[in-house]
Structure formats: C-alpha cells, structure tokens
Amino acid sequence: MSSPPGASSRRTFLRGASVTALAVLGGGALAACTSAVHELDAAGDDAVPVRGGTLKVGTPYDVVPANILTNTATTPAVIGLVYETLIRYPNDRLEPQPLLATSWHLAPDGLSLALELRDDVTFHSGRPFTSADVEFALRTYADPKWSAQLKSTAAAITSYDTSAPHRIVLRFAHPLGNIFDLLDTAPILDRETLGELSAGEKFIGTGPFRFTERIPNSRMVFERNERYWIPDRPYLDRVQLSVIPDSQAQLNALRSGQIALAHGLNSRDIENLSRRAGFRAITYDGAELQMYVGVNLQHPALADVRLRQAVAYSIDRERIIEEVFRGAGYPLNLPWPKTSPAYDEARNTRYARNIGRARELVAQLPAPPAIPLSYNTSLPAYGATAQIVQANLAEAGIEVTLDPNDDATAVKKLIGGQFPGLWVTDHSWAQFVPSTLNVSAYPFNARKNASHYESPAYVAAADAAWRRTDGTGPGAVAAYQAVSDELLEGLFLIEIGARLNQVAASKRLHAVGWTKRRETVLTEAFLS
C-alpha cells in the first residue's frame, strides 16, 4: 500500500482521472489497508496488539470550536480521533484511498464526480451515515462562517445528487485539479448537532473515538467507539488529551509517565529523548510544515519590493534548520517540499543568503523604521526562529522588534490579515496538490491573503493551475512553475524551509498513525 518517501513526485494523479477507482473493499480488507498506510512509525516494531488502556496525550493547545475546519494547530487531535473524511491520501503520495467512500468515477471533462459510499457506518449518536451527510458537510465547509481554507474548492461544487442513500454525484463549475484534497480534508460532520459543536459541547463524527468530556484549557476525554465500522478497532479504551502549553512541563510529564505521547516539544528535546531508553521520536512523514516570514504590504516600508528582497537575502535558512529544528528539514525559497510536483531546484535558490546584496538593497531606500516581527508563543521554535531572523536582518541594516502573540491571537491575526509588519510562523498545504495552496491557504490565497497582496497576474496563474482535470501531470507542472515565478516576484511571503513534523512518545505506545494534515490517527494504536 505504500511507496518509498519521495516516490510520488511525478506520479499521475489517480493514474488517469477519468478511470473509475478500483477501490471497493470489505471491512476487514479496508482495516488492513488503513493499517498499512498509516502506521509508518511501527516499521520494525513487532509488538503484538493489546486491547484496552487509556492513552494520555499532551498538547500545547486547547480546541477552539470555531476553528474546527481551519486546519490550524488547535484542531488536529480532535479531528483525527472523532471525524473521518471520504477518502484519505497515503502519507507518501497523492493517490486517494477509500475511507467513507469506497469507489469513485471522475468524468473525463473533470466536471462531475460520482462517489459510492459505505453502507455500514453510523455516527456516534447511532444515526446511519448517508449521502445527505456528505452534502451537509461539504456545504458547511464552503460556508465562510467557518473560515475553512479549502472553501473556494467546496464552493465550486454547483450541485449534489443525493437521490441514493449511499451514492452522491458532485458537479463542478469548472474542473478542480485538487478535488481529492477537499475530500481528504473536509470532515463529515453531524448535521443534527452542529450548533453544539460550535459551542464546544458536542463533537459527533463517525471516527474510532467518541467525545465524552471537555474541561476548557485543561483536558478532553474520548472513549472507544463500540460501533466503529472497522471490526475490533480501536484497541484503546480511552484517549485523554491534557492541555500543557509549557514545553518543559510537557517534557517532564512524558519523562515521568504522566503522558505517553507529547505534541509540542522543541526539536532539541525530541532529539535528546530519542537517544534515551524508553522513548522515541515519531516523524510525521508526508505532513511537512514550511516555516516562513510573512509580510504585511500595508506597512509603508514593506510595500517596496526591494526591502522584501533584502529580507529574503538576509535570512540564514541553513542556520535555522540546523539550530532550531536540529536538521529535521531543509532550506527553501519556494513553498513546495521536495516530494511535490511543483518542486524546482533551480527556482528554489533565487534568494540564497547574500548579506552584501541585502545591504545594497537597503542602501537604495530611505532608512526604514523599526518593523514589528510577530511570532506565536505556543511553540518554542517560533520564538527561536524569530530571534535568528531578527539578528539576520540587523546585519543588513533592518531593525525589527519582537512581538510575541499567544496562539489564539496569532491565528486570529493570520486569518484576518492583522499582523502589523513581519511575522514568523509555518504553513501547511504545500504537501497536497500544489494548486490548493494558492487558492486556499490564508497566507497564499491569490484573492485574499494575510499580506494584503494583490496581483492580477498571480490570480491568473493560480486559477490556471487550479482549473485542471488533473493535479500532477506535465501540464499541471508547467502551471505550477508560473505560480512559483509569481511568488518569487511578488515576495509577499519569504520562505525559510520545510520542517519535518515530529512528536515524542513512550516506547510503550505503538502504531501511531497520522494524516497529511498532521492529524494523529489512533485507530490501530495500542499500549504494551
């Protein structure tokens, strides 16, 4: 079911989009497929699954119900436990695999998609899952109220045929080269309890665990879904998420056995733990994040592209990857990871560090005022990166002042385009079909982005890459090169590099899975 990492960089999406997917699987076969695809951390682990027990997980974030569809850091743990999607990509390639949909047929013109649905799935409330739930979930995802990042793709669905309970036909305004990105991402929500979801009172899905308790800013508890459609899964009886914002406190909790899985440790601590008996690092391969410096073009000094170029030439990307992320990543000038069909080595060295060139550009401009450099305090890596960027820019004659923001404030500012000058954070979506990034992600959206960057040429390039019948073929690759050129010219976002998302765990925990969106999947996990 899987290929070596990187093997997918030039694969043809769906191996011909007009072919019906040969993806009809029975429950037992699908369980085996799910296991093979998503338990990459279990390679070489010969532990025999054990039923029962409570897995305690440390997370730096509490869930923010209003952000449940945003794919921001507050949601992956809950989504991965409670909800499921129609299809799921393997971690190492863009080839959709069955989940709640068993098979599909994409029309040759790319204007409709028919999906066959499982008929043995129920929500945690006991209500059967049907095609009407798919329509509700996708319409909800398209609703601007929820600020979902792929809402433009969901909004391009013009009609839904739900006349059969376990079959749905979607029709599109134009071809969508990233339609399976949407189907991999949009969780199937319970239409009967959406109001209670938004209030943080109920989270009802079809997934392996059902929500039972929440104490805001403290913990969430999830119990085994006894009616789960994959036989005899999950193994665990219970998962408890404890909100532990402080990285050192989370490290101490893992060392002392209070938790067995830690999200939010810094890279140095993960590296050190992996050398100790009883612990290990788990790298979420295929779920890379890209660190970058964002630029608000409404700041008068940053409106001049020459200052943005000076920033790009100043950043010591290699130092950040080596020191902050302990080598778990690589420098980039463009957002695409090496496994992406949009990756281009030649274009990716445009702004290699050149402090002399940065100083020349600064000398051409009026002396810039001190510029705020905002960062999110929820992870130590953000602050450490901001400090290095501050020092790098000082070498070029650009003064910045550090502006720390808590997680909720940082997410709000990103979505609303409210950072006052520069900011440091990371983005996702580049590991998906590349067009998704430019029509969806808050920092990159060609029509409305966090930088207030406007360019008809960028909009045209992004649309041309998006409105295709396939997302990874030769024609798509040429379209992505045009997008890359627009990003390098506009330079409203300045990439630092890809970082490999890592967590730390006790060796008592086995078979942790994940999605390409960094959602932890514990369907097959067990404690020994």
Side-chain angles (χ1 to χ4, degrees):
M1 292 299 301
S2 60
S3 301
S8 63
S9 60
R10 302 293 178 195
R11 288 180 183 268
T12 300
F13 191 61
L14 270 181
R15 300 189 185 279
S18 64
V19 179
T20 301
L22 300 177
V24 182
L25 296 173
L30 183 52
C33 175
T34 302
S35 174
V37 171
H38 299 292
E39 281 142 41
L40 302 185
D41 83 295
D45 185 348
D46 57 1
V48 176
V50 177
R51 185 168 300 284
T54 297
L55 172 62
K56 295 183 178 181
V57 181
T59 174
Y61 314 103
D62 190 18
V63 66
V64 178
N67 290 349
I68 199 74
L69 300 183
T70 63
N71 198 48
T72 53
T74 62
T75 61
V78 175
I79 292 284
L81 295 172
V82 173
Y83 298 100
E84 293 178 305
T85 53
L86 292 174
I87 61 97
R88 184 171 287 166
Y89 286 133
N91 295 333
D92 61 349
R93 61 195 187 276
L94 295 169
E95 294 180 2
Q97 304 295 306
L99 200 57
L100 295 182
T102 60
S103 64
W104 45 84
H105 175 75
L106 183 63
D109 61 5
L111 293 177
S112 67
L113 175 68
L115 299 113
E116 306 298 328
L117 308 176
R118 295 194 67 90
D119 61 5
D120 56 353
V121 176
T122 60
F123 285 90
H124 299 155
S125 62
R127 185 175 63 80
F129 160 71
T130 70
S131 57
D133 297 300
V134 175
E135 178 178 359
F136 175 80
L138 294 177
R139 287 190 183 278
T140 301
Y141 198 90
D143 186 343
K145 166 188 173 181
W146 293 93
S147 299
Q149 296 194 66
L150 271 77
K151 64 179 181 290
S152 58
T153 300
I157 302 173
T158 57
S159 70
Y160 299 80
D161 180 350
T162 59
S163 55
H166 298 109
R167 185 175 192 270
I168 188 168
V169 180
L170 311 176
R171 291 184 172 83
F172 312 134
H174 51 76
L176 297 169
N178 69 333
I179 183 59
F180 288 97
D181 287 13
L182 174 67
L183 303 186
D184 175 88
T185 300
I188 301 301
L189 305 172
D190 176 36
R191 64 182 185 270
E192 295 183 348
T193 56
L194 187 65
E196 291 159 293
L197 183 156
S198 61
E201 297 168 357
K202 287 187 178 180
F203 301 86
I204 292 180
T206 64
F209 293 91
R210 56 185 181 84
F211 166 77
T212 59
E213 178 188 8
R214 179 185 178 218
I215 301 176
N217 298 309
S218 178
R219 72 170 183 266
M220 295 184 74
V221 179
F222 305 85
E223 304 280 350
R224 182 178 189 268
N225 177 10
E226 298 290 346
R227 290 191 289 256
Y228 192 48
W229 56 273
I230 297 181
D232 302 320
R233 300 295 189 277
Y235 291 114
L236 294 166
D237 288 335
R238 185 178 300 103
V239 177
Q240 178 176 310
L241 299 182
S242 296
V243 179
I244 309 174
D246 181 74
S247 177
Q248 185 60 47
Q250 200 172 135
L251 175 63
N252 293 338
L254 181 61
R255 284 174 170 169
S256 64
Q258 298 175 60
I259 61 175
L261 180 63
H263 295 269
L265 300 188
N266 65 51
S267 296
R268 186 180 295 275
D269 286 337
I270 292 175
E271 180 183 51
N272 291 337
L273 269 177
S274 67
R275 296 171 179 159
R276 295 182 54 174
F279 301 97
R280 61 183 170 139
I282 302 173
T283 300
Y284 283 15
D285 292 316
E288 298 94 338
L289 291 166
Q290 280 76 13
M291 290 294 294
Y292 72 97
V293 175
V295 185
N296 184 347
L297 271 66
Q298 292 184 334
H299 188 287
L302 295 170
D304 193 312
V305 71
R306 289 174 294 178
L307 188 60
R308 306 199 296 272
Q309 290 171 340
V311 173
Y313 281 122
S314 300
I315 296 174
D316 192 340
R317 296 169 176 82
E318 288 79 4
R319 179 186 171 191
I320 292 169
I321 295 298
E322 201 56 42
E323 292 186 10
V324 178
F325 300 108
R326 308 305 298 163
Y330 45 88
L332 290 171
N333 279 191
L334 284 163
W336 325 113
K338 291 181 178 180
T339 54
S340 171
Y343 181 80
D344 184 307
E345 182 64 33
R347 286 175 170 82
N348 207 49
T349 56
R350 170 84 168 266
Y351 292 105
R353 190 166 200 251
N354 185 337
I355 201 67
R357 178 60 180 149
R359 288 171 178 160
E360 289 175 4
L361 289 163
V362 171
Q364 297 173 15
L365 301 166
I371 300 171
L373 175 61
S374 306
Y375 66 92
N376 188 324
T377 59
S378 63
L379 290 180
Y382 297 143
T385 299
Q387 290 174 12
I388 294 175
V389 171
Q390 181 186 41
N392 292 160
L393 299 190
E395 291 182 69
I398 304 170
E399 180 186 357
V400 299
T401 56
L402 297 183
D403 171 38
N405 292 254
D406 63 64
D407 182 66
T409 301
V411 171
K412 180 180 179 181
K413 288 183 177 180
L414 179 66
I415 295 174
Q418 298 169 2
F419 286 116
L422 301 170
W423 69 91
V424 167
T425 189
D426 46 34
H427 68 79
S428 186
W429 299 113
Q431 73 273 34
F432 285 83
V433 172
S435 62
T436 286
L437 191 74
N438 306 111
V439 299
S440 305
Y442 303 129
F444 287 88
N445 192 317
R447 286 182 167 79
K448 182 181 179 182
N449 52 69
S451 296
H452 304 280
Y453 177 71
E454 297 179 3
S455 165
Y458 179 43
V459 171
D463 280 354
W466 181 39
R467 300 181 181 193
R468 304 189 58 82
T469 55
D470 84 274
T472 60
V477 170
Y480 301 145
Q481 290 174 345
V483 170
S484 292
D485 289 340
E486 291 297 326
L487 292 172
L488 291 171
E489 288 299 318
L491 209 64
F492 60 100
L493 299 170
I494 300 165
E495 295 287 336
I496 294 174
R499 70 177 181 91
L500 306 179
N501 199 47
Q502 293 182 313
V503 298
S506 164
K507 285 189 175 178
R508 293 182 54 243
L509 175 61
H510 308 269
V512 173
W514 57 90
T515 70
K516 290 181 76 67
R517 296 175 310 285
R518 311 179 316 283
E519 296 159 358
T520 300
V521 177
L522 299 174
T523 309
E524 304 282 339
F526 61 94
L527 293 164
S528 61

